[in-house]
Amino acid sequence: MLTIEGLSYVVTVVAIGLSLWHLAIVAGFLTYSTLDIRILHLTVLLALVFLVRLPRDNSVENGASPKRAAFGLSLRVVCALIAVGAGLYTYFRWRPIAFSGGVTTDLDARVGLVMIALVLIAVSRRIGLFLSLIAVVFLLYPFVSSYLPEVISTRGYGWERVSIFLATGGEGIFGIPLGVSASYIIIFTIFGAFLNNFGAGDFFFQLAHSLTRGARAASAKTAVIFSTLLGMISGSAAGNVAVTGTMTIPMMKREGYTPNQAAAIEAVVSTGGQIMPPIMGAAAFIMAEIIGRPYSEVMTAALIPALLFFSSIFFIVHLQAVKVNLPRTEAASDAPPLRRSLLAGTRFMVPFFTLIGMMLAGYSPFRASFIALILLLVGCTLYEWRDLRGVLHKTLKSLEDGALAVLSIAVACAAAGIVAGVLSMTGLGSKISSLIIVLAAGEPLLALAMTAVLAIILGMGLPTTAAYLILATVVAPPLVQMGVPLLTAHMFVFFFGCISTITPPVALASYVAAGIAGSDINRTSWTAFTYGITSYILPFMFFFSPALLMQGSGMNVTVAVMTGLLAVFCISSAVVGYFRRSLNQIGRGAMALSGLLLIYQEQTSSVIALLMLTGVALVIQFGGPRVALLVAK
């Protein structure tokens, strides 16, 4: 009789096997065609989606009757077996179909429908109904398109053609998004799992704590640095909060921050982990594939925006601490010396810098991460050589965790493939592009504003990867047609997909942080939104100043960085309401306007901003009590 324990064992074995299979391909021990890898990758992961037990699954432990629990377990196993059967059929049929020039049978179409249905069910199981509904809406379009208004109508399609197009070739389910999951993302999730299980998180925490020892607001600054470092491992906002928040939020509360402030700070800095090179969120790898640029170029372009993002929250926590006169606590000065922290973390730093160096040198991300993984495993084995059994256990656990970590990403990529496939097959993509251009009256800035709103709305119900995939296929092309540079358009969409996790009313990162802090969810969400306000403005800076994406001469990049830092400082000062003294509404408005003018990245606006900033500083410093009241409390 099949039991939950037996199923867990199967999941472990299959997950470890999948990770080893992908590593063997990267190492060159196994050779498969691109479509073979994608089909087998999705087949195994679809089976795991149904076999992995989620908290909401019926079980005896959750109070369900034994009969109902057994039925739920059997249903999941049946779905997993169907996924394996449909996947293997597709694996053995795609070559005959391709070599025959596209000759298919009714069975091919029916199996394709099964595969599409399995993807939709898997998405709803792992991510939620929202993405499934989006995919269903696009999936229905070919059948009703001939009845729609002329601006978005096309000739109708039969279910056989739709099914075969989406499920038997490389333009639908098995398209570019899934290809990125099967080649890049799973290798990095395995690498991240090894770092996590061998203690890199503890090292990063000690390192961050050492860097902030003795500073004011040390706990909050530790959270900023720690989440920056950890974000380069996980690339998931909610995941970062869950890992780092358990350590940093209690520290911040002890230091004097209110629960909602501590939770909001952690939510914002954890969200930034998705945009922090070298290991950004999964969407960054997909972006590189879609725009046809090396990942190293995407990584380089994201560096300055990421630093500006973290500088902004760093300014906010410091100004907040100075404003309320938070004391320097003993907890901030008991950190180990920096030299000792660095020495203990050598086994993590060598692979980490090897990874960065190889990607900057032009090596593929999966090759660089594989080499870094080998160095990490060798270093940790030497460091823990007295406990080789423990090393083996951590290795197997990392292989399992790495495969399971890609489940949600893979099914999201498959669902995005359905959307992209429909856009390609029907020509709907070009119609949507034309419609957006008309609505924006051909103005790129207006189109960017519309895109930002749409990205935030979509991101409220979707993980970053899924939100980016939908926006990259639907919204980014018209931006490019209106003259927005390709990399700028996709980075703009990517950024807004990331920060949607702190955007009320559905702010997943804020919810997780509020749960840890014991604070009110709504207050935490709005506080996080306020603290992260700069991140909603940063993407528009890409448009006004391409130098922030490393596009331009060294002098242009340097000027853009200095101007950008001053801009985020001014906006942070306006958010906190402090600049040498607590600011009143006029002072806040002056600082905010100075920041916005600096963001415009134009000489005249920058001069005006600097004059305003200088004026506020002079009034506060030398204006006397009465004059200072013009801008300060």
Side-chain angles (χ1 to χ4, degrees):
M1 179 180 176
L2 185 61
T3 63
I4 293 175
E5 291 74 18
L7 204 59
S8 298
Y9 179 77
V10 172
V11 167
T12 298
V13 172
V14 173
I16 292 174
L18 180 65
S19 291
L20 290 173
W21 180 68
H22 276 287
L23 291 174
I25 292 173
V26 174
F29 298 138
L30 297 175
T31 304
Y32 290 85
S33 70
T34 299
L35 204 53
D36 282 340
I37 295 174
R38 295 178 185 179
I39 293 172
L40 292 177
H41 176 78
L42 182 62
T43 298
V44 175
L45 289 175
L46 278 178
L48 286 174
V49 165
F50 295 110
L51 294 179
V52 171
R53 181 171 171 268
L54 299 178
R56 65 174 180 268
D57 292 327
N58 289 318
S59 66
V60 174
E61 291 80 2
N62 287 341
S65 65
K67 214 176 262 191
R68 188 178 179 188
F71 175 76
L73 185 63
S74 301
L75 184 61
R76 291 193 285 123
V77 172
V78 168
C79 288
L81 292 175
I82 293 174
V84 172
L88 291 177
Y89 179 88
T90 306
Y91 175 78
F92 289 111
R93 275 292 294 162
W94 78 265
R95 276 190 180 82
I97 293 173
F99 293 159
S100 66
V103 177
T104 58
T105 65
D106 289 341
L107 183 58
D108 295 330
R110 291 190 177 93
V111 172
L113 277 183
V114 171
M115 184 64 74
I116 293 170
L118 287 170
V119 168
L120 295 176
I121 295 170
V123 168
S124 123
R125 178 174 169 80
R126 292 295 306 189
I127 298 175
L129 285 174
F130 191 41
L131 180 56
S132 291
L133 290 175
I134 292 175
V136 167
V137 168
F138 278 89
L139 191 58
L140 292 176
Y141 173 78
F143 307 114
V144 301
S145 58
S146 58
Y147 304 103
L148 297 177
E150 184 177 352
V151 68
I152 56 171
S153 67
T154 63
R155 65 183 183 86
Y157 293 85
W159 70 268
E160 296 94 342
R161 182 174 179 186
V162 173
S163 172
I164 288 171
F165 185 89
L166 294 179
T168 61
E171 294 187 73
I173 290 174
F174 304 107
I176 288 176
L178 187 67
V180 176
S181 172
S183 57
Y184 297 105
I185 297 173
I186 190 169
I187 304 301
F188 276 93
T189 59
I190 294 171
F191 180 62
F194 269 88
L195 284 171
N196 184 54
N197 284 307
F198 278 98
D202 293 335
F203 161 66
F204 286 148
F205 181 75
Q206 290 181 3
L207 178 61
H209 209 98
S210 298
L211 290 172
T212 60
R213 61 184 308 184
R216 190 191 293 271
S219 61
K221 292 174 181 176
T222 297
V224 174
I225 298 173
F226 183 31
S227 295
T228 304
L229 296 172
L230 195 74
M232 294 186 285
I233 300 176
S234 70
S236 166
N240 283 356
V241 174
V243 175
T244 65
T246 54
M247 290 180 274
T248 59
I249 289 176
M251 285 174 53
M252 285 187 275
K253 289 170 66 177
R254 286 196 302 270
E255 196 170 44
Y257 288 95
T258 64
N260 69 289
Q261 287 177 333
I265 290 170
E266 181 56 49
V268 174
V269 296
S270 292
T271 295
Q274 299 176 99
I275 62 172
M276 188 65 196
I279 309 174
M280 302 160 65
F285 296 97
I286 298 171
M287 184 200 306
E289 197 73 17
I290 291 177
I291 68 177
R293 305 277 182 85
Y295 176 73
S296 58
E297 186 174 334
V298 173
M299 178 182 73
T300 304
L303 181 60
I304 294 176
L307 292 177
L308 290 177
F309 178 95
F310 283 103
S311 296
S312 169
I313 190 62
F314 205 87
F315 290 146
I316 284 175
V317 298
H318 179 76
L319 292 172
Q320 184 71 41
V322 175
K323 180 180 180 180
V324 299
N325 196 27
L326 286 182
R328 302 175 192 270
T329 60
E330 293 182 4
S333 59
D334 63 358
L338 180 59
R339 182 181 301 177
R340 190 193 306 170
S341 297
L342 292 174
L343 185 62
T346 303
R347 64 192 189 279
F348 303 120
M349 296 182 65
V350 170
F352 188 73
F353 286 112
T354 299
L355 173 68
I356 298 174
M358 289 186 67
M359 286 198 293
L360 291 177
Y363 287 88
S364 63
F366 53 84
R367 177 68 66 182
S369 60
F370 179 75
I371 298 300
L373 176 59
I374 297 299
L375 290 174
L376 174 66
L377 188 55
V378 171
C380 290
T381 302
L382 294 174
Y383 187 81
E384 303 179 25
W385 66 271
R386 291 184 179 87
D387 185 20
L388 294 180
R389 180 176 295 181
V391 171
L392 178 60
H393 174 75
K394 291 177 183 177
T395 300
L396 294 176
K397 185 71 168 62
S398 300
L399 292 171
E400 179 186 2
D401 291 348
L404 296 181
V406 83
L407 285 179
S408 298
I409 297 172
V411 296
C413 289
I418 293 175
V419 175
V422 170
L423 293 174
S424 172
M425 181 178 67
T426 62
L428 178 61
S430 60
K431 289 180 177 293
I432 292 177
S433 296
S434 301
L435 186 61
I436 290 176
I437 292 173
V438 170
L439 291 175
E443 288 293 331
L445 187 57
L446 182 57
L448 288 172
M450 293 168 54
T451 300
V453 174
L454 182 59
I456 290 173
I457 293 173
L458 274 177
M460 288 179 186
L462 298 176
T464 302
T465 304
Y468 169 74
L469 282 167
I470 301 298
L471 292 164
T473 53
V474 177
V475 182
L479 293 179
V480 176
Q481 289 183 33
M482 281 186 281
V484 179
L486 182 64
L487 181 58
T488 302
H490 281 265
M491 192 65 74
F492 184 92
V493 167
F494 169 68
F495 226 90
F496 273 105
C498 290
I499 60 179
S500 63
T501 59
I502 57 170
T503 305
V506 184
L508 298 180
S510 299
Y511 291 174
V512 176
I516 296 172
S519 59
D520 180 75
I521 287 178
N522 291 324
R523 285 193 65 191
T524 299
S525 298
W526 285 107
T527 304
F529 172 78
T530 304
Y531 285 173
I533 197 71
T534 304
S535 59
Y536 295 86
I537 302 171
L538 272 176
F540 289 94
M541 295 176 70
F542 309 158
F543 176 70
F544 292 117
S545 179
L548 290 175
L549 299 178
M550 297 288 192
Q551 309 292 308
S553 65
M555 178 59 70
N556 288 340
V557 171
T558 302
V559 171
V561 170
M562 299 302 294
T563 307
L565 280 171
L566 191 55
V568 298
F569 173 79
C570 291
I571 294 172
S572 300
S573 176
V575 168
V576 176
Y578 187 88
F579 178 52
R580 303 186 67 85
R581 286 181 60 177
S582 293
L583 300 175
N584 59 23
Q585 296 302 318
I586 296 176
R588 284 189 169 194
M591 295 300 291
L593 183 58
S594 298
L596 292 174
L597 289 173
L598 287 167
I599 283 172
Y600 191 59
Q601 298 279 320
E602 194 268 334
Q603 187 173 0
T604 302
S605 64
S606 296
V607 170
I608 295 173
L610 290 174
L611 290 174
M612 289 180 62
L613 181 60
T614 304
V616 172
L618 290 175
V619 167
I620 291 175
Q621 187 69 25
F622 302 109
R626 291 187 177 181
V627 176
L629 287 175
L630 292 172
V631 296
K633 294 181 180 179

